[in-house]
Each structure stands twice: as structure tokens, then as C-alpha cells.
């Protein structure tokens, strides 16, 4: 082994089932052995081959972690991290009494973000995004999903995805990319949504695939977005090109987009405040993750909560994510989302931890390699100066993170 971490309390989450409450699976006085960025040994120090035989072949780097609590590195599985501009002015205008229609008439709303993003260079978008990313890293995030969706032209969507891939080239963060060209009807296609979907399917998806820029394709299935028929066309095209699919579904109304996405093989459906029992059954039948986005629920002051009890009953895995975006969730803190999932949705702290680790990994199709601490997994970990895992959901604003470990490399939080 190249590196051995000792004196740990390991929150392994290593149970094989995908339900939301199987215990934290904690190992006290734990030890982790790492080779080539992968976990080669997990156990208590007394079980370790090193402890038994004092066998330090290859002189591994042994690090005493001072009884730190260790979780899998956190995974933020739904973000819109890349965009230019800022909607704080709209936030202020609304709180000063200006109606949304007036703000939209003055060029506000998503159109303002699209315009600013189109005008920005890749370098500008990159610099803006890595500052936001720092907030997530402070919460122990080691993997992040990043969506396009503010370009809405072939060139601008690919520009956003190139920036996302460039962020993934950093050694201390892993990025999954998602093409969200079907985010909104761009101004050039006003009242011609079907024509825009043709453009997405015939030009943008093929180009993103050809250039290796997208892992997933996403849609906004909603009255103010795209119909289930339009979303189905996008999903069919994505699948023809070998891409995974996921959806923004049942956020504001119940159109059946979640069930459609699940039946077509989506790894996750996201938001789902208005999901009905048939929709939950479709997720359960297709092993689709329900991704909860409490930041948007909070920021929009929603009152309709996702069907948590029914998701639990049918053992649908729940993920939690920031949905970081300028319009409805400008909050770059995954731990804040864990806290909100507890306070608003009544999730348990254990469900929240699974929601930002193993279940978030499943939402990205990465459950075989990330999200738990077990042999064979990638060595992505977060070391915390806390006593119990519940503190991750309980407390906000205290810098509890000691370090993140990505592929076995240590990145100190300070
Ligand atoms: Fe979103």
C-alpha cells in the first residue's frame, strides 16, 4: 500500500442495500489503506495486516489522523455552477415590491443569465465557477455534477460544457457533466419550442457527443419548460447516442415527467415536490434516485413538500443537492442543504448523509466506485473535526472540515 490512514472513526455506509436508513456502519479505531487512488483496506486497526505483522512493505506513507471522523467525500449531484451575471438586483427589486412581470419586461429572469453567459469567455466562466466551487469544497465535496443550460445555442452550450470539463481537470475535484440544452426556450425560438427541440436533438446532442463533453442529458419538464412529449424526444436521442438521462420534473406541477424519465432509464429525477404515488412507484420499479433540492424549495418559499413518506415506504433512494443556480438556489453549501432537508422535509441526518454520498453517487451512475468507504472504491474521503455524523446536518457555518482526500491525495481545508 502506498498510503495508510490510521486513528480514524470511519463512517463507511458500506451496507449493500440502497435504502435510506441502514445505520452509519461505523468502524472505531479505523484504518484505510490506499494504492493507486483506490481503497485497498478498510477495517479496525486490530484487523489490519499492518498491525498484525508489522508489514510495511514498500514503506507506505502512514498518517495518524488524530481520531478524525471520516465520511465518503461528499457528492453534489445537481448544480448549475457555470453562468455569468448575477440576479441579486432582481432579488432586491422583488423585495422592494416590483412585480415579476415588470422584472421580466426589463430583461430579467433566466434571459438575463443566458445573455450574460453568451457574452462571457470560457476563462471568465471558469474564474466565476471556481470561486463558487470553493464554497462546496469547504463542505467536503469531492465530486460535483455541472449542467449547461444558460447558452441555449450549439456554441454556447458546448462552451459551458468545456468549462465544466476544465474544472474536472483540477486534481482535487471530480466533475460529471450534463447537457441541459432543454432548460428553456431561447428568445430566438419564442413560441417555437418544437423547432428548438429539433435543433437540440439534431445538432446540439450530436456535437456534444462527438466532442466527448457530456455524460448525461437533462430536461426541464414543466409548463414553463418543455412537455413530456418534447422531453421524450430528447431522452430518445440521448439514449441513441449512448448518454445517460435525468430530469427536472414535478417541481411546480405533476405532468408525469418523473415516471416517463424513470421508465426510460433515468438515473435520477430531481425536485419532485409534486410527484404523486404512481410516480413514486415508477421510481421504485426502475431503481431511479429521487433527488431533493431543498435550496430551491426554500428560496421560492414553496409549501408543497416532496412525498418523503411514500419514497421511504417504497425504499426509493433519496439524494440531496444544492441545485446551485443564480435564479432559485444561490447557495453553494451542501451542508446547508442537509440541514434544510432535515428541517423542511424531516429527513433524518443519516438519510441526509446517504443523500450526499452513496445515493448521490447512484444519481450519477457512479455507485460502484464512489459514495461509500469500502475496498475497491475510489479513495475520496472527507475528514471532520466532529464527534457524530449527525453534526454534519445539525450545525451550519462552523469550519468542521479538516481535509478532503481525492484519489488518495490529501487537500487540507486550511
Ligand atoms: Fe436545477
Amino acid at each position: 500500500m502506498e498510503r495508510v490512514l490510521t486513528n480514524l472513526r470511519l463512517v463507511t455506509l458500506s451496507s449493500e442495500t440502497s435504502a435510506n436508513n441502514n445505520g452509519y456502519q461505523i468502524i472505531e479505531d479505523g484504518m484505510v489503506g490506499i494504492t493507486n487512488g483506490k481503497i485497498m483496506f478498510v477495517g479496525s486497526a486490530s484487523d489490519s495486516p499492518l498491525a498484525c505483522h508489522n508489514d510495511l512493505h514498500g514503506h507506505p506513507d502512514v498518517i495518524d489522523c488524530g481520531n478524525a471522523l471520516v465520511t465518503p467525500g461528499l457528492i453534489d449531484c445537481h448544480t448549475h455552477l457555470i453562468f455569468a451575471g448575477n440576479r441579486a438586483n432582481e432579488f432586491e427589486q422583488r423585495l422592494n415590491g416590483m412585480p415579476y412581470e415588470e422584472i421580466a419586461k426589463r430583461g430579467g429572469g433566466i434571459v438575463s443569465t443566458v445573455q450574460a453567459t453568451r457574452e462571457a469567455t470560457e476563462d471568465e466562466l471558469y474564474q466565476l465557477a471556481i470561486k463558487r466551487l470553493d464554497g462546496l469544497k469547504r463542505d467536503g465535496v469531492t465530486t460535483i455534477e455541472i449542467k449547461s443550460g444558460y447558452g441555449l445555442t450549439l456554441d454556447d452550450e458546448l462552451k459551458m460544457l468545456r468549462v465544466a470539463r476544465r474544472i474536472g481537470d483540477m486534481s482535487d475535484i471530480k466533475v460529471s457533466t450534463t447537457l441541459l440544452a432543454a432548460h428553456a426556450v431561447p428568445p430566438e425560438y419564442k413560441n417555437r419550442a418544437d423547432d428548438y427541440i429539433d435543433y437540440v436533438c439534431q445538432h446540439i446532442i450530436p456535437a456534444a457527443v462527438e466532442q466527448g463533453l457530456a455524460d448525461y442529458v437533462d430536461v426541464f419538464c414543466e409548463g414553463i419548460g418543455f412537455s413530456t412529449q418534447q422531453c421524450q424526444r430528447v431522452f430518445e436521442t440521448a439514449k441513441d447516442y449512448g448518454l445517460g438521462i435525468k430530469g427536472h420534473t414535478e417541481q411546480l406541477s405533476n405532468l408525469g415527467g418523473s415516471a416517463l424519465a424513470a421508465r426510460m432509464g433515468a438515473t435520477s429525477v430531481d425536485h419532485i415536490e409534486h410527484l404523486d404515488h404512481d410516480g413514486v412507484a415508477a421510481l421504485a420499479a426502475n431503481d431511479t434516485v429521487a433527488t431533493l433540492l431543498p435550496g430551491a424549495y426554500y428560496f421560492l418559499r414553496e409549501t408543497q413538500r416532496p412525498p418523503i413518506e411514500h419514497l421511504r415506504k417504497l425504499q426509493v433512494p433519496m439524494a440531496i443537492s444544492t441545485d446551485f443556480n443564480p435564479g432559485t438556489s444561490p447557495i453553494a453549501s451542501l451542508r446547508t442543504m442537509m440541514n434544510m432537508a432535515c428541517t423542511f422535509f424531516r429527513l433524518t441526518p443519516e438519510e441526509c448523509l446517504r443523500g450526499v454520498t452513496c445515493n448521490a453517487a447512484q444519481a450519477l451512475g457512479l455507485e460502484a466506485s464512489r459514495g461509500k468507504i469500502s475496498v475497491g472504491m475510489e479513495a475520496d474521503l472527507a475528514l471532520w473535526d466532529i464527534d457524530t455524523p449527525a453534526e454534519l446536518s445539525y450545525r451550519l457555518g462552523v469550519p468542521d472540515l479538516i481535509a478532503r482526500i481525492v484519489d488518495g491525495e490529501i487537500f487540507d481545508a486550511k
Side-chain angles (χ1 to χ4, degrees):
M1 277 181 275
E2 295 169 351
R3 172 160 283 160
V4 178
L5 309 177
T6 66
N7 200 5
L8 304 167
R9 286 171 295 138
L10 294 168
V11 184
T12 65
L13 305 174
S14 59
S15 155
E16 288 307 309
T17 75
S18 62
N20 300 303
N21 264 311
N22 292 306
Y24 292 114
Q25 315 277 332
I26 293 176
I27 298 174
E28 298 287 347
D29 192 17
M31 192 178 258
V32 174
I34 300 167
T35 298
N36 291 328
K38 295 266 188 352
I39 296 173
M40 305 304 282
F41 173 82
V42 179
S44 65
S46 57
D47 296 335
S48 163
L50 302 179
C52 293
H53 308 298
N54 197 23
D55 177 5
L56 295 177
H57 283 315
H59 304 287
D61 182 15
V62 179
I63 298 169
D64 184 328
C65 296
N67 206 30
L69 188 133
V70 181
T71 65
L74 303 196
I75 297 172
D76 194 353
C77 65
H78 178 142
T79 85
H80 308 251
L81 194 77
I82 296 169
F83 59 86
N86 184 321
R87 307 249 289 270
N89 53 343
E90 291 173 29
F91 183 69
E92 188 163 30
Q93 285 165 349
R94 287 171 85 156
L95 287 165
N96 280 316
M98 187 182 291
Y100 184 72
E101 295 70 28
E102 179 64 24
I103 293 170
K105 213 185 290 176
R106 295 183 183 201
I110 190 171
V111 173
S112 70
T113 301
V114 170
Q115 196 173 342
T117 303
R118 286 177 178 179
E119 287 167 3
T121 66
E122 284 186 36
D123 277 345
E124 288 165 348
L125 291 173
Y126 178 80
Q127 294 300 335
L128 289 166
I130 58 172
K131 182 179 169 193
R132 299 162 189 152
L133 185 61
D134 277 344
L136 295 170
K137 288 178 180 175
R138 277 197 287 272
D139 277 354
V141 171
T142 54
T143 292
I144 180 176
E145 183 256 22
I146 301 176
K147 302 177 193 297
S148 67
Y150 293 120
L152 310 183
T153 68
L154 173 67
D155 288 347
D156 292 308
E157 287 293 298
L158 297 189
K159 176 175 75 176
M160 291 185 70
L161 293 175
R162 278 195 299 274
V163 175
R165 283 282 192 240
R166 187 171 154 198
I167 292 169
D169 290 339
M170 299 168 80
S171 58
D172 70 338
I173 194 80
K174 297 177 179 178
V175 173
S176 174
T177 63
T178 300
L179 174 66
L180 179 58
H183 191 194
V185 179
E188 304 80 27
Y189 283 86
K190 197 174 179 200
N191 300 323
R192 293 191 297 130
D194 279 325
D195 290 347
Y196 180 62
I197 292 296
D198 284 344
Y199 174 61
V200 171
C201 292
Q202 292 167 15
H203 298 282
I204 302 183
I205 291 175
V209 169
E210 194 193 342
Q211 296 179 34
L213 292 173
D215 301 319
Y216 280 85
V217 169
D218 195 347
V219 298
F220 183 32
C221 185
E222 194 56 68
I224 59 168
F226 297 94
S227 70
T228 51
Q229 291 81 1
Q230 289 162 342
C231 293
Q232 184 170 347
R233 289 183 53 209
V234 174
F235 287 153
E236 283 167 353
T237 305
K239 289 175 66 174
D240 285 347
Y241 280 95
L243 297 178
I245 59 170
K246 48 182 54 242
H248 288 70
T249 52
E250 267 72 64
Q251 180 186 7
L252 307 171
S253 61
N254 181 25
L255 297 185
S258 302
L260 169 76
R263 282 197 300 271
M264 293 186 71
T267 51
S268 76
V269 291
D270 303 25
H271 284 293
I272 62 163
E273 280 88 341
H274 290 261
L275 188 65
D276 62 15
H277 284 196
D278 287 347
V280 175
L283 303 196
N286 293 283
D287 210 16
T288 304
V289 174
T291 299
L292 310 176
L293 305 174
Y297 173 93
Y298 155 80
F299 203 76
L300 294 171
R301 305 174 75 231
E302 294 286 351
T303 54
Q304 172 82 29
R305 294 192 299 167
I308 303 297
E309 277 306 322
H310 211 65
L311 291 165
R312 277 189 187 125
K313 192 170 154 200
L314 298 195
Q315 297 197 322
V316 175
M318 294 183 278
I320 298 165
S321 176
T322 60
D323 191 20
F324 183 84
N325 77 76
T328 62
S329 190
I331 305 164
S333 168
L334 195 51
R335 283 184 67 189
T336 301
M337 299 303 133
M338 296 167 75
N339 180 267
M340 286 182 178
C342 292
T343 53
F344 292 141
F345 301 161
R346 311 309 292 166
L347 263 64
T348 67
E350 185 193 328
E351 286 173 325
C352 288
L353 184 58
R354 288 180 180 273
V356 296
T357 53
C358 49
N359 292 350
Q362 188 179 338
L364 299 176
L366 297 170
E367 66 272 24
S369 58
R370 297 183 210 167
K372 293 180 179 179
I373 304 177
S374 59
V375 171
M377 291 272 179
E378 294 167 18
D380 298 348
L381 306 168
L383 274 62
W384 305 95
D385 179 19
I386 60 177
D387 291 329
T388 66
E391 288 172 63
L392 296 173
S393 297
Y394 160 75
R395 184 166 53 238
L396 297 178
V398 178
D400 294 313
L401 185 73
I402 299 167
R404 297 176 311 124
I405 297 180
V406 181
D407 285 337
E409 292 300 311
I410 300 173
F411 299 90
D412 288 335
K414 302 291 181 291

